[in-house]
Amino acid sequence: MVIASSNLIKKLIGLGVFQASVFILYITFGKITEGSPPIITDNVDVYSNPLPHVLILTAIVVGVATTSVGLALIVRIKEAYGSTDEDDIHDMDDKDDFNIKNNRSIN
C-alpha cells in the first residue's frame, strides 16, 4: 500500500498495518510454549519473557503519536495544495519551480 498507492492517507494506513504486523511478530517472541506468566510461584520452572510485551507497549504509544503527526501533516498538505494525491502535489511543485526559475531568469 505504501508503494502502490499515491494517496497520502492510504500510505499512512499502510504504514499502520505494517506497524501492527511488526508488533504481533515481536509479541510472539515473548511467548514460550507451556510457559507461565513471570510471577514467581512454587513448581514453575518455565516463564514467558515479559520484555517484548513491554517494548511493544512503548512502540504502540510512539506509533499512535507518529500517526497523529502524519495525519496533521496530511491536513496541512490538503490545505496548501488542495489534494492528498502525491502525484498531483509533485506536479504542482514542478510547475511552481518552473515558474520561479523562469521569472528569475527574466529579471
Side-chain angles (χ1 to χ4, degrees):
M1 221 174 178
V2 175
I3 296 170
S5 178
S6 65
N7 188 322
L8 296 176
I9 299 289
K10 289 181 182 179
K11 285 179 180 279
L12 200 59
I13 291 170
L15 286 173
V17 170
F18 175 72
Q19 197 173 39
S21 65
V22 171
F23 294 164
I24 292 170
L25 175 72
Y26 276 102
I27 288 172
T28 58
F29 292 153
K31 178 62 181 151
I32 297 174
T33 306
E34 297 180 10
S36 66
I39 300 170
I40 298 174
T41 58
D42 296 334
N43 302 327
V44 177
D45 295 329
V46 179
Y47 296 102
S48 292
N49 187 1
L51 185 62
H53 298 88
V54 172
L55 292 174
I56 293 306
L57 283 174
T58 304
I60 289 169
V61 171
V62 171
V64 168
T66 55
T67 300
S68 62
V69 169
L71 285 172
L73 288 172
I74 291 172
V75 167
R76 293 291 297 139
I77 289 169
K78 173 74 173 169
E79 290 174 358
Y81 291 97
S83 176
T84 59
D85 190 69
E86 188 177 18
D87 295 333
D88 293 343
I89 294 167
H90 284 299
D91 289 343
M92 288 181 214
D93 272 345
D94 290 343
K95 287 178 185 175
D96 288 342
D97 290 343
F98 179 76
N99 291 335
I100 290 170
K101 187 177 182 180
N102 285 340
N103 288 338
R104 287 186 182 169
S105 64
I106 293 172
N107 294 330

